[in-house]
């Protein structure tokens, strides 16, 4: 077949128009001829609405991309070149529970961190590994680009428990940080580049460049004086202690607030929860609005309201990555891949989020030596959490899940860990078959 066959699992997501826009903009160098949007029967209505919008978007743009909508994953995957996954197992209802239950125990309730992140991983990993099995049969040479959260833990699981080695985990946090810095410096985003190292949602900027000149110190100085520094739509910015950031001498990512400002963030979350409910509930309302718009047969571009979602610009990261693999661009992009020695204190075979050179053979992580001692331990701790959590997800082992929950730095004790675990297991029972087919 001429051109690229791309398959997006979870294609009915409200984020899909982002991806379609990114592909349209790059069509001249990234000739995607077939885009298959795949979903589960529960997502059929959304898939049809998003799919119809996607078709209008390519028509308006005048690019010959054939869009197929399917509920049959196997049919869609056959001979794919790129497979992207953007699934939410248990839909937003499950996210709402991930966010609400820990709060009852005075623990951060968050989509990808702490107990919420653990449970999102437990639900998502077996499904992604099933997709990998299908890929082995139907498109063994395809690239798997995963955006499903928790993207770091999922990439870790794919590297350990599947034979799909052409896999990359992707997140919009790094691109969001570069854009945030560009705003802070009031320059065009393409003039800013950051050297990234760490893990997904636990990544640090080691150096910041403006037109190739190192400007980290000036950036950190500005950062501590601004409230609307660098954040995503789903994370509140409470500012930083100036001396802390100066001593850290690294650019933290928005999610570091949960670790370095735990009690402040918890208070803020509780207030927010009282006022507007969980982020999942807010997102549900936003989605309603978005799908109302998608339904409009006149709409044939990505609506600007998508910028209100935390994942804004993820398609830019995704399309840039696919474009650079396809065209062997050898440019630098931050992605989640096998460490291969890039960060000395993380096992070679584990997933890390680092700046990589993107080639036709995939991302090659840039060797950075090691992380500064002040952050090394936290990063290793989260890596341990991700590994134990991934093992719990593939085995359905209660003790492993308890171990993961207890070693997570946001959970204060083994007893609270057990209480949260038991309540969340019960709440998510339907989506955790491995945990419930065994006698504990
Ligand atoms: C962030 C993260 C994404 C996450 C998103 C949630 O930016 O990087 O991994 O999916 O926020 O956004 P939402 O609008 O769903 O709260």
């Amino acid at each position: 077949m001429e051109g690229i066959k791309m398959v997006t699992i979870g294609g009915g997501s409200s984020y899909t128009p982002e991806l379609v826009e990114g592909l349209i903009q790059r069509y001249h160098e990234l000739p995607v001829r077939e885009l298959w949007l795949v979903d589960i029967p529960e997502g059929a209505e959304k898939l049809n609405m998003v799919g119809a919008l996607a078709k209008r978007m390519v028509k308006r743009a005048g690019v010959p991309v054939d869009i197929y909508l399917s509920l049959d994953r196997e049919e869609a995957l056959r001979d794919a070149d790129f497979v992207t996954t953007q699934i939410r197992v248990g839909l937003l209802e499950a996210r709402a529970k991930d966010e609400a239950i820990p709060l009852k125990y005075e623990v951060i309730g968050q989509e990808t961190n702490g107990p919420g992140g653990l449970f999102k991983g437990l639900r998502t990993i077996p499904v992604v590994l099933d997709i990998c099995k299908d890929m082995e049969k139907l498109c063994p040479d395809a690239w798997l680009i995963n955006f499903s959260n928790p993207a770091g833990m999922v990439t870790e699981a794919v590297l350990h428990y599947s034979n799909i080695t052409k896999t990359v985990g992707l997140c919009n946090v790094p691109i969001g940080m570069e854009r945030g810095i560009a705003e802070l410096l009031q320059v065009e985003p393409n003039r800013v580049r950051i050297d990234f190292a760490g893990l997904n949602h636990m990544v640090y900027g080691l150096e910041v460049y403006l037109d190739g000149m190192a400007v980290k110190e000036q950036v950190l100085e500005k950062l501590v004086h601004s409230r609307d520094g660098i954040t995503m739509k789903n994370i509140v910015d409470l500012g930083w202690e100036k001396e802390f950031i100066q001593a850290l001498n690294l650019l933290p990512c928005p999610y570091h607030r949960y670790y370095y400002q735990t009690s402040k963030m918890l208070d803020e979350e509780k207030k927010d929860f009282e006022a507007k409910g969980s982020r999942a509930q807010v997102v549900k309302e936003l989605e309603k609005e978005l799908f109302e718009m998608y339904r409009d047969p006149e709409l044939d571009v990505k609506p600007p309201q998508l910028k209100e979602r935390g994942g804004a610009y993820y398609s830019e990261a995704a399309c840039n990555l696919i474009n650079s693999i396809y065209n062997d661009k050898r440019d630098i992009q931050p992605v989640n891949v096998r460490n291969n020695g890039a960060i000395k204190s993380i096992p070679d075979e584990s997933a890390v989020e680092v700046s990589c050179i993107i080639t036709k053979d995939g991302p090659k992580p840039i060797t950075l030596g090691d992380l500064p001692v002040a952050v090394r331990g936290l990063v290793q701790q989260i890596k341990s959490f991700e590994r134990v959590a991934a093992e719990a997800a593939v085995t359905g082992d209660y003790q492993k899940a308890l171990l993961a929950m207890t070693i997570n730095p946001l959970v204060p004790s083994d007893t609270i860990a057990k209480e949260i675990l038991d309540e969340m297991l019960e709440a998510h029972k339907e989506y955790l078959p491995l945990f419930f087919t065994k006698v504990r």
Side-chain angles (χ1 to χ4, degrees):
M1 189 196 66
E2 268 289 282
I4 300 165
K5 175 173 179 180
M6 184 163 153
V7 180
T8 297
I9 317 251
S13 158
S14 55
Y15 279 121
T16 295
E18 280 250 5
L19 197 64
V20 175
E21 185 192 66
L23 295 178
I24 290 172
Q25 285 165 350
R26 290 165 184 79
Y27 186 80
H28 59 286
E29 48 181 349
L30 187 67
V32 172
R33 294 282 152 76
E34 288 187 23
L35 173 63
W36 286 70
L37 302 177
V38 184
D39 223 302
I40 51 172
E42 295 90 310
E45 199 191 335
K46 279 162 96 183
L47 177 68
N48 287 332
M49 270 190 269
V50 173
L53 170 59
K55 288 179 184 175
R56 295 193 296 271
M57 286 172 75
V58 297
K59 185 164 175 218
R60 178 198 164 115
V63 293
V65 182
D66 288 329
I67 296 186
Y68 298 86
L69 311 184
S70 176
L71 300 180
D72 182 344
R73 192 164 84 197
E74 295 199 10
E75 170 202 36
L77 283 175
R78 194 168 302 283
D79 301 325
D81 299 299
F82 289 93
V83 178
T84 67
T85 41
Q86 48 181 38
I87 59 172
R88 191 188 287 289
V89 181
L91 309 172
L92 280 168
E93 279 73 30
R95 174 172 174 184
K97 293 176 190 169
D98 285 343
E99 291 170 339
I101 296 172
L103 278 188
K104 295 204 266 175
Y105 300 86
E106 297 285 310
V107 171
I108 296 280
Q110 216 280 323
E111 184 191 17
T112 58
N113 288 263
L118 170 62
F119 269 81
K120 189 158 171 55
L122 297 181
R123 296 191 302 273
T124 310
I125 287 170
V127 180
V128 172
L129 292 177
D130 272 352
I131 296 172
C132 290
K133 278 197 200 125
D134 286 352
M135 285 179 66
E136 278 179 44
K137 271 191 309 198
L138 300 161
C139 53
D141 287 329
W143 279 96
L144 170 64
I145 317 272
N146 173 63
F147 324 124
S148 311
N149 270 323
M153 198 194 286
V154 170
T155 308
E156 185 74 28
V158 172
L159 290 175
H160 279 270
Y161 302 107
S162 95
N163 296 319
I164 297 295
T165 51
K166 287 165 80 172
T167 182
V168 189
L170 206 62
C171 181
N172 67 334
V173 161
I175 201 169
M177 287 167 74
E178 285 179 340
R179 282 181 170 263
I181 298 289
E183 250 170 63
L184 203 66
L185 300 175
Q186 296 182 328
V187 299
E188 287 297 307
N190 60 5
R191 293 176 59 191
V192 174
R193 196 180 70 69
I194 300 177
D195 281 342
F196 288 101
L199 308 179
N200 182 234
H201 290 186
M202 176 53 55
V203 75
Y204 295 88
L206 303 184
E207 186 50 89
V208 183
Y209 304 94
L210 174 62
D211 300 329
M213 301 274 287
V215 293
K216 181 178 67 181
E217 250 109 90
Q218 293 91 300
V219 165
L220 294 182
E221 183 64 28
K222 272 191 187 284
L223 186 71
V224 289
H225 289 113
S226 99
R227 246 317 163 82
D228 256 329
I230 303 164
T231 196
M232 327 290 292
K233 291 286 179 194
N234 57 325
I235 308 174
V236 60
D237 181 4
L238 302 173
W240 289 104
E241 290 294 343
K242 184 172 150 210
E243 292 82 359
F244 165 67
I245 291 296
Q246 284 168 341
L248 184 70
N249 198 26
L250 296 169
L251 187 66
C253 83
Y255 286 89
H256 280 120
R257 296 188 176 96
Y258 293 110
Y259 298 88
Y260 297 136
Q261 310 185 329
T262 315
S263 59
K264 283 201 287 184
M265 290 299 278
L266 181 62
D267 289 345
E268 203 60 30
E269 266 203 342
K270 289 197 292 193
K271 260 195 277 165
D272 253 24
F273 192 81
E274 284 286 302
K276 0 177 222 194
S278 64
R279 175 74 188 163
Q281 282 160 305
V282 173
V283 165
K284 243 188 188 175
E285 289 308 308
L286 264 172
E287 280 216 333
K288 241 191 244 160
E289 251 177 69
L290 283 171
F291 278 100
E292 258 328 295
M293 278 178 223
Y294 295 177
R295 221 190 280 273
D296 175 2
E298 298 299 312
L299 181 75
D300 54 9
V301 291
K302 177 186 93 177
Q305 283 80 350
L306 252 181
K307 289 210 177 81
E308 293 310 308
R309 295 295 305 275
Y313 305 113
Y314 93 95
S315 78
E316 211 166 299
C319 296
N320 284 344
L321 172 67
I322 295 172
N323 195 4
S324 292
I325 294 178
Y326 182 74
N327 288 303
D328 196 22
K329 286 206 172 191
R330 298 178 176 263
D331 55 350
I332 298 177
Q333 297 180 30
V335 291
N336 290 268
V337 280
R338 192 178 192 275
N339 182 29
N340 279 348
I343 303 178
K344 204 169 147 209
S345 51
I346 297 289
D348 282 357
E349 71 280 9
S350 270
V352 288
E353 187 165 284
V354 282
S355 298
C356 293
I357 300 181
I358 314 295
T359 75
K360 65 177 180 347
D361 303 315
K364 306 290 170 204
I366 299 173
T367 304
L368 297 155
D370 215 340
L371 292 165
V373 68
V375 301
R376 198 178 295 164
L378 177 60
V379 171
Q380 285 181 328
Q381 185 64 15
I382 294 296
K383 179 47 66 188
S384 301
F385 162 71
E386 286 180 353
R387 288 185 71 151
V388 178
E391 203 183 334
V394 296
T395 55
D397 184 308
Y398 177 83
Q399 290 193 357
K400 283 269 151 31
L402 178 59
L403 186 62
M405 180 78 91
T406 309
I407 65 173
N408 187 284
L410 299 180
V411 178
S413 82
D414 55 348
T415 305
I416 292 179
K418 192 170 183 333
E419 285 169 6
I420 300 179
L421 181 70
D422 289 344
E423 184 169 345
M424 291 183 83
L425 276 175
E426 204 47 45
H428 291 299
K429 208 172 180 168
E430 197 186 333
Y431 300 103
L432 298 169
L434 280 176
F435 282 87
F436 290 92
T437 47
K438 293 185 173 180
V439 182
R440 278 199 205 145

